[in-house]
């Protein structure tokens, strides 16, 4: 987004749903460089200047012409496109959808920038608890995970609530599957277990890791996402499980029951493929030369 006022020919009721959909799709770890050196109080004063405009947008979305439109378009997007794993055909469809939606809504300088992206394929996967009873776990492999050997991995489970507990019990983890039953604090804090859980488990000799879904609420539904292997650390298979299953295994472990799980994952990473960044602008009328945060987000977050 450039400048601090949009041109009149861009209808807010048209643009807002697309912007909200796009913001929902971004998983951004970056932030504008200009904010790095600003104290929180200064940022707060700057943001407060836009409270009236923000309220107008809220009123438009909740009570005005755009009421339910963002939800309806997001529903259409997810119904028609589905999951959008990096390198997949669904991702290509999603990019085309957003490109056309941004143009139809009248944003400016809408274009695609070619990039290379990872091509990760989840493949068939399953997890079954064999002891103390037979129970099929709802599981989703984490992005970039390696797969298991063809026959899967069958191993005893060690359940921990934190990285600190894992370090204290490092001698117990060798050859086992680490199950993280970390409590949800906030997404920004708790997602560290999804991002680094596999590598931290591998450091103490674990053969795989299962991460409690990073969400405050679950209906036996695993919540997946991308994870990162630390350089120089053995890469082990990793997947997310539901809150319910993580808590159940934690209760079993507290009772001293032996837990055994068989994990099978056919995940693999293929050579990088061609894709695109989707870029759009709302050019300001007062300071069109200024480039703001929204354009930065579109450009650099994937």
């Amino acid at each position: 987004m450039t400048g601090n006022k949009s041109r009149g020919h861009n209808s807010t009721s048209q643009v807002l749903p697309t912007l909200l959909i796009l913001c929902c799709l971004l998983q951004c770890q970056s932030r504008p460089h200009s904010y790095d050196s600003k104290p929180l109080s200064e940022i707060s004063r700057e943001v407060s200047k836009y409270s009236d405009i923000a309220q107008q947008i809220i009123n438009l979305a909740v009570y005005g012409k755009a009421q339910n439109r963002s939800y309806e378009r997001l529903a259409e997007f997810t119904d028609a496109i589905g999951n959008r794993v990096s390198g997949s055909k669904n991702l290509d469809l999603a990019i085309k959808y957003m490109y056309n939606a941004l143009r139809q809504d009248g944003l400016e300088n809408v274009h695609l920038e070619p990039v290379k992206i990872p091509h990760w394929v989840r493949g068939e996967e399953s997890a079954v608890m064999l002891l103390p009873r037979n129970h099929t776990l709802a599981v989703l492999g984490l992005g970039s995970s390696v797969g298991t050997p063809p026959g899967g991995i069958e191993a005893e489970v060690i359940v921990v609530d934190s990285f600190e507990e894992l370090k204290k019990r490092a001698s117990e983890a060798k050859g086992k599957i680490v199950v993280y039953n970390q409590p949800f604090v906030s997404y920004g804090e708790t997602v560290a277990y999804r991002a680094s859980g596999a590598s931290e488990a591998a450091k103490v000799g674990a053969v795989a890791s299962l991460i409690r879904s990073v969400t405050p609420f679950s209906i036996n539904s695993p919540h997946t996402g991308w994870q990162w292997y630390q350089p120089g650390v053995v890469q082990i298979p990793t997947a997310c499980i539901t809150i319910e299953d993580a808590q159940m295994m934690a209760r079993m472990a507290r009772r001293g029951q032996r837990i055994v799980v068989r994990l099978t994952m056919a995940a693999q990473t293929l050579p990088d493929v061609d894709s695109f960044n989707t870029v759009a602008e709302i050019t300001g009328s007062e300071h069109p030369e200024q480039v703001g945060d929204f354009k930065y987000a579109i450009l650099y977050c994937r």
Side-chain angles (χ1 to χ4, degrees), residues 207-252:
V207 294
S209 65
L210 296 174
I211 319 296
R212 169 174 155 170
S213 292
V214 184
T215 176
F217 179 77
S218 173
I219 46 174
N220 202 41
S221 50
H223 175 197
T224 189
W226 206 254
Q227 66 91 35
W228 291 267
Y229 288 118
Q230 296 175 19
V233 178
V234 175
Q235 297 182 358
I236 61 174
T238 181
C240 66
I241 57 175
T242 67
I243 293 177
E244 293 90 334
D245 283 338
Q247 292 178 333
M248 177 186 66
M249 286 189 279
R251 292 193 298 271
M252 291 175 171

Side-chain angles (χ1 to χ4, degrees), residues 14-270:
Q14 288 181 324
V15 172
L16 179 63
T18 303
L19 300 189
L20 289 178
I21 292 174
L22 192 56
C23 289
C24 288
L25 300 179
L26 293 174
Q27 291 188 353
C28 180
Q29 303 297 325
S30 305
R31 61 176 177 166
H33 293 303
S34 59
Y35 280 180
D36 288 344
S37 59
K38 291 184 178 180
L40 182 60
S41 58
E42 184 178 343
I43 296 173
S44 177
R45 286 194 298 272
E46 182 178 340
V47 171
S48 67
K49 297 177 183 177
Y50 299 95
S51 59
D52 291 342
I53 296 174
Q55 190 59 53
Q56 291 176 37
I57 295 174
I58 292 170
N59 290 340
L60 179 67
V62 177
Y63 308 109
K65 293 181 179 180
Q67 186 179 31
N68 294 327
R69 190 178 302 172
S70 298
Y71 176 84
E72 290 166 0
R73 291 186 67 173
L74 183 60
E76 177 188 350
F77 180 89
T78 54
D79 290 345
I81 305 299
N83 62 75
R84 303 166 302 281
V85 178
S86 180
S88 67
K89 292 182 179 178
N90 281 15
L91 178 61
D92 290 338
L93 292 174
I95 291 170
K96 292 174 182 176
Y97 179 100
M98 289 308 307
Y99 173 78
N100 291 328
L102 290 165
R103 294 190 65 184
Q104 291 170 7
D105 282 353
L107 277 78
E108 297 160 287
N109 191 25
V110 178
H111 64 279
L112 301 176
E113 294 181 342
V115 292
K116 287 284 188 180
I117 63 170
H119 185 189
W120 181 75
V121 179
R122 176 172 283 116
E124 295 295 324
E125 56 192 10
S126 64
V128 180
M129 185 176 72
L130 304 175
L131 291 175
R133 66 177 175 90
N134 188 277
H135 171 66
T136 299
L137 303 169
V139 63
L140 278 174
L142 293 177
S144 83
S145 175
V146 297
T148 64
I153 294 173
E154 184 175 315
E156 190 172 340
V157 161
I158 176 174
V159 183
V160 298
D161 291 339
S162 65
F163 289 139
E164 289 72 23
E165 182 182 356
L166 178 63
K167 292 176 182 177
K168 291 178 181 178
R169 301 177 62 192
S171 60
E172 304 174 46
K174 188 174 182 179
K176 295 182 181 177
I177 296 173
V178 171
V179 169
Y180 290 97
N181 182 42
Q182 77 288 344
F184 182 85
V185 179
S186 68
Y187 186 80
E189 181 175 339
T190 313
V191 77
Y193 288 88
R194 191 182 77 199
S196 304
S199 290
E200 293 302 320
K203 290 177 184 178
V204 293
V207 294
S209 65
L210 296 174
I211 319 296
R212 169 174 155 170
S213 292
V214 184
T215 176
F217 179 77
S218 173
I219 46 174
N220 202 41
S221 50
H223 175 197
T224 189
W226 206 254
Q227 66 91 35
W228 291 267
Y229 288 118
Q230 296 175 19
V233 178
V234 175
Q235 297 182 358
I236 61 174
T238 181
C240 66
I241 57 175
T242 67
I243 293 177
E244 293 90 334
D245 283 338
Q247 292 178 333
M248 177 186 66
M249 286 189 279
R251 292 193 298 271
M252 291 175 171
R254 285 196 294 271
R255 297 186 195 112
Q257 293 176 294
R258 182 169 178 258
I259 307 168
V260 175
V261 165
R262 180 189 296 125
L263 175 67
T264 306
M265 296 174 60
Q268 58 179 321
T269 298
L270 303 176

